[in-house]
Short mmCIF file of all heavy atoms in Angstrom, two decimals:
data_model
loop_
_atom_site.label_atom_id
_atom_site.label_comp_id
_atom_site.label_asym_id
_atom_site.label_seq_id
_atom_site.Cartn_x
_atom_site.Cartn_y
_atom_site.Cartn_z
N ASN A 234 -35.49 37.42 20.68
CA ASN A 234 -35.05 36.80 19.43
C ASN A 234 -36.19 36.05 18.74
O ASN A 234 -36.02 34.93 18.25
CB ASN A 234 -33.87 35.85 19.69
CG ASN A 234 -33.18 35.43 18.40
OD1 ASN A 234 -33.17 36.18 17.42
ND2 ASN A 234 -32.61 34.24 18.38
N ARG A 235 -37.34 36.65 18.76
CA ARG A 235 -38.49 36.20 18.00
C ARG A 235 -39.23 37.45 17.53
O ARG A 235 -39.47 38.37 18.32
CB ARG A 235 -39.44 35.34 18.85
CG ARG A 235 -38.89 33.98 19.23
CD ARG A 235 -38.72 33.05 18.03
NE ARG A 235 -38.28 31.73 18.44
CZ ARG A 235 -37.00 31.40 18.69
NH1 ARG A 235 -36.05 32.32 18.57
NH2 ARG A 235 -36.69 30.16 19.04
N VAL A 236 -39.58 37.47 16.26
CA VAL A 236 -40.26 38.63 15.71
C VAL A 236 -41.25 38.14 14.65
O VAL A 236 -40.97 37.17 13.93
CB VAL A 236 -39.24 39.63 15.11
CG1 VAL A 236 -38.48 39.02 13.95
CG2 VAL A 236 -39.90 40.94 14.72
N GLN A 237 -42.40 38.80 14.58
CA GLN A 237 -43.43 38.39 13.62
C GLN A 237 -43.20 39.11 12.30
O GLN A 237 -43.14 40.34 12.24
CB GLN A 237 -44.82 38.69 14.15
CG GLN A 237 -45.94 38.12 13.30
CD GLN A 237 -47.30 38.29 13.96
OE1 GLN A 237 -47.53 39.27 14.68
NE2 GLN A 237 -48.21 37.35 13.73
N GLY A 238 -43.06 38.34 11.24
CA GLY A 238 -42.83 38.93 9.92
C GLY A 238 -44.09 39.44 9.29
O GLY A 238 -45.21 39.25 9.79
N SER A 239 -43.92 40.10 8.15
CA SER A 239 -45.06 40.65 7.43
C SER A 239 -45.99 39.56 6.93
O SER A 239 -47.16 39.84 6.60
CB SER A 239 -44.56 41.49 6.25
OG SER A 239 -43.69 40.71 5.42
N ASP A 240 -45.51 38.30 6.90
CA ASP A 240 -46.35 37.18 6.48
C ASP A 240 -47.07 36.52 7.65
O ASP A 240 -47.74 35.50 7.49
CB ASP A 240 -45.52 36.14 5.72
CG ASP A 240 -44.35 35.61 6.57
OD1 ASP A 240 -44.19 36.06 7.72
OD2 ASP A 240 -43.60 34.75 6.06
N GLY A 241 -46.91 37.09 8.87
CA GLY A 241 -47.59 36.57 10.05
C GLY A 241 -46.83 35.49 10.80
O GLY A 241 -47.26 35.09 11.89
N MET A 242 -45.72 35.02 10.25
CA MET A 242 -44.95 33.96 10.88
C MET A 242 -43.94 34.53 11.88
O MET A 242 -43.36 35.59 11.65
CB MET A 242 -44.21 33.15 9.82
CG MET A 242 -45.13 32.46 8.81
SD MET A 242 -46.14 31.17 9.56
CE MET A 242 -44.86 29.97 9.96
N TRP A 243 -43.73 33.81 12.99
CA TRP A 243 -42.75 34.19 14.00
C TRP A 243 -41.43 33.48 13.69
O TRP A 243 -41.39 32.26 13.53
CB TRP A 243 -43.22 33.83 15.39
CG TRP A 243 -44.30 34.74 15.90
CD1 TRP A 243 -45.65 34.61 15.70
CD2 TRP A 243 -44.12 35.91 16.70
NE1 TRP A 243 -46.32 35.63 16.31
CE2 TRP A 243 -45.41 36.45 16.94
CE3 TRP A 243 -43.02 36.55 17.24
CZ2 TRP A 243 -45.62 37.60 17.69
CZ3 TRP A 243 -43.21 37.70 17.98
CH2 TRP A 243 -44.51 38.22 18.20
N ARG A 244 -40.35 34.25 13.63
CA ARG A 244 -39.04 33.70 13.34
C ARG A 244 -38.00 34.42 14.20
O ARG A 244 -38.31 35.39 14.90
CB ARG A 244 -38.67 33.88 11.86
CG ARG A 244 -39.64 33.24 10.88
CD ARG A 244 -39.14 33.43 9.46
NE ARG A 244 -40.04 32.83 8.47
CZ ARG A 244 -41.06 33.47 7.92
NH1 ARG A 244 -41.31 34.73 8.27
NH2 ARG A 244 -41.83 32.87 7.03
N THR A 245 -36.76 33.95 14.11
CA THR A 245 -35.68 34.64 14.80
C THR A 245 -35.35 35.95 14.09
O THR A 245 -35.59 36.11 12.89
CB THR A 245 -34.41 33.76 14.86
OG1 THR A 245 -34.03 33.41 13.53
CG2 THR A 245 -34.67 32.50 15.67
N LEU A 246 -34.79 36.88 14.85
CA LEU A 246 -34.44 38.19 14.32
C LEU A 246 -33.12 38.11 13.56
O LEU A 246 -32.23 37.34 13.90
CB LEU A 246 -34.30 39.17 15.49
CG LEU A 246 -34.22 40.67 15.20
CD1 LEU A 246 -35.51 41.15 14.55
CD2 LEU A 246 -33.99 41.42 16.51
N ASP A 247 -33.00 38.90 12.50
CA ASP A 247 -31.74 38.98 11.77
C ASP A 247 -30.79 39.91 12.53
O ASP A 247 -30.92 41.12 12.45
CB ASP A 247 -31.97 39.51 10.35
CG ASP A 247 -30.67 39.68 9.58
OD1 ASP A 247 -29.77 38.84 9.74
OD2 ASP A 247 -30.55 40.67 8.85
N SER A 248 -29.86 39.32 13.27
CA SER A 248 -28.98 40.12 14.13
C SER A 248 -27.99 40.96 13.33
O SER A 248 -27.51 41.99 13.82
CB SER A 248 -28.22 39.21 15.10
OG SER A 248 -27.42 38.30 14.39
N ARG A 249 -27.68 40.56 12.12
CA ARG A 249 -26.71 41.31 11.33
C ARG A 249 -27.19 42.73 11.03
O ARG A 249 -26.40 43.67 10.97
CB ARG A 249 -26.39 40.57 10.03
CG ARG A 249 -25.65 39.24 10.25
CD ARG A 249 -25.32 38.56 8.94
NE ARG A 249 -26.52 38.25 8.18
CZ ARG A 249 -26.50 37.64 6.99
NH1 ARG A 249 -25.35 37.29 6.45
NH2 ARG A 249 -27.63 37.37 6.35
N ALA A 250 -28.49 42.87 10.84
CA ALA A 250 -29.04 44.19 10.59
C ALA A 250 -28.88 45.09 11.81
O ALA A 250 -28.60 46.29 11.69
CB ALA A 250 -30.52 44.09 10.19
N LEU A 251 -29.06 44.52 13.01
CA LEU A 251 -28.87 45.30 14.24
C LEU A 251 -27.44 45.81 14.33
O LEU A 251 -27.20 46.97 14.68
CB LEU A 251 -29.20 44.45 15.47
CG LEU A 251 -30.68 44.18 15.76
CD1 LEU A 251 -30.81 43.24 16.95
CD2 LEU A 251 -31.42 45.48 16.03
N HIS A 252 -26.48 44.95 14.02
CA HIS A 252 -25.07 45.38 14.07
C HIS A 252 -24.80 46.46 13.03
O HIS A 252 -24.04 47.40 13.28
CB HIS A 252 -24.16 44.18 13.83
CG HIS A 252 -24.09 43.24 15.00
ND1 HIS A 252 -23.37 43.54 16.14
CD2 HIS A 252 -24.67 42.03 15.22
CE1 HIS A 252 -23.49 42.54 17.01
NE2 HIS A 252 -24.27 41.62 16.48
N ARG A 253 -25.42 46.34 11.88
CA ARG A 253 -25.17 47.32 10.81
C ARG A 253 -25.66 48.71 11.20
O ARG A 253 -25.00 49.71 10.90
CB ARG A 253 -25.87 46.85 9.53
CG ARG A 253 -25.72 47.82 8.37
CD ARG A 253 -26.48 47.35 7.14
NE ARG A 253 -26.35 48.32 6.05
CZ ARG A 253 -27.00 48.23 4.90
NH1 ARG A 253 -27.81 47.19 4.69
NH2 ARG A 253 -26.85 49.14 3.96
N PHE A 254 -26.81 48.78 11.84
CA PHE A 254 -27.40 50.08 12.16
C PHE A 254 -27.09 50.56 13.58
O PHE A 254 -27.58 51.61 13.99
CB PHE A 254 -28.92 50.03 11.94
CG PHE A 254 -29.32 49.99 10.50
CD1 PHE A 254 -29.65 48.79 9.89
CD2 PHE A 254 -29.34 51.14 9.74
CE1 PHE A 254 -30.01 48.74 8.55
CE2 PHE A 254 -29.70 51.12 8.39
CZ PHE A 254 -30.03 49.90 7.80
N ARG A 255 -26.28 49.80 14.30
CA ARG A 255 -25.95 50.18 15.68
C ARG A 255 -25.29 51.55 15.80
O ARG A 255 -25.68 52.35 16.67
CB ARG A 255 -25.06 49.12 16.31
CG ARG A 255 -24.69 49.40 17.77
CD ARG A 255 -23.67 48.40 18.29
NE ARG A 255 -22.42 48.46 17.52
CZ ARG A 255 -21.46 49.35 17.74
NH1 ARG A 255 -21.61 50.27 18.68
NH2 ARG A 255 -20.36 49.35 17.02
N PRO A 256 -24.28 51.90 14.97
CA PRO A 256 -23.65 53.22 15.12
C PRO A 256 -24.63 54.38 14.93
O PRO A 256 -24.59 55.37 15.68
CB PRO A 256 -22.56 53.21 14.04
CG PRO A 256 -22.28 51.77 13.80
CD PRO A 256 -23.60 51.08 13.95
N ALA A 257 -25.53 54.25 13.97
CA ALA A 257 -26.51 55.32 13.75
C ALA A 257 -27.48 55.41 14.92
O ALA A 257 -27.84 56.52 15.37
CB ALA A 257 -27.28 55.06 12.45
N ALA A 258 -27.88 54.26 15.44
CA ALA A 258 -28.79 54.25 16.59
C ALA A 258 -28.13 54.90 17.80
O ALA A 258 -28.78 55.63 18.56
CB ALA A 258 -29.22 52.82 16.92
N ALA A 259 -26.84 54.64 17.98
CA ALA A 259 -26.11 55.24 19.10
C ALA A 259 -26.08 56.76 18.98
O ALA A 259 -26.26 57.48 19.97
CB ALA A 259 -24.69 54.69 19.15
N ALA A 260 -25.87 57.25 17.77
CA ALA A 260 -25.85 58.70 17.56
C ALA A 260 -27.20 59.33 17.86
O ALA A 260 -27.30 60.39 18.48
CB ALA A 260 -25.42 59.01 16.12
N ILE A 261 -28.27 58.64 17.43
CA ILE A 261 -29.62 59.14 17.70
C ILE A 261 -29.88 59.18 19.21
O ILE A 261 -30.43 60.15 19.74
CB ILE A 261 -30.66 58.24 17.00
CG1 ILE A 261 -30.58 58.47 15.49
CG2 ILE A 261 -32.06 58.51 17.52
CD1 ILE A 261 -31.40 57.50 14.68
N ALA A 262 -29.46 58.13 19.91
CA ALA A 262 -29.67 58.09 21.36
C ALA A 262 -28.94 59.23 22.06
O ALA A 262 -29.51 59.91 22.93
CB ALA A 262 -29.20 56.74 21.90
N GLU A 263 -27.70 59.46 21.67
CA GLU A 263 -26.90 60.50 22.31
C GLU A 263 -27.46 61.90 22.04
O GLU A 263 -27.60 62.71 22.95
CB GLU A 263 -25.46 60.41 21.83
CG GLU A 263 -24.73 59.16 22.31
CD GLU A 263 -23.35 59.02 21.70
OE1 GLU A 263 -22.97 59.90 20.89
OE2 GLU A 263 -22.65 58.04 22.02
#
Side-chain angles (χ1 to χ4, degrees):
N234 193 29
R235 291 293 184 278
V236 63
Q237 188 173 32
S239 55
D240 58 359
M242 299 294 292
W243 286 86
R244 302 182 180 90
T245 58
L246 192 63
D247 177 38
S248 61
R249 293 182 299 180
L251 286 175
H252 287 285
R253 178 182 178 186
F254 288 99
R255 181 187 61 82
I261 289 171
E263 292 174 359

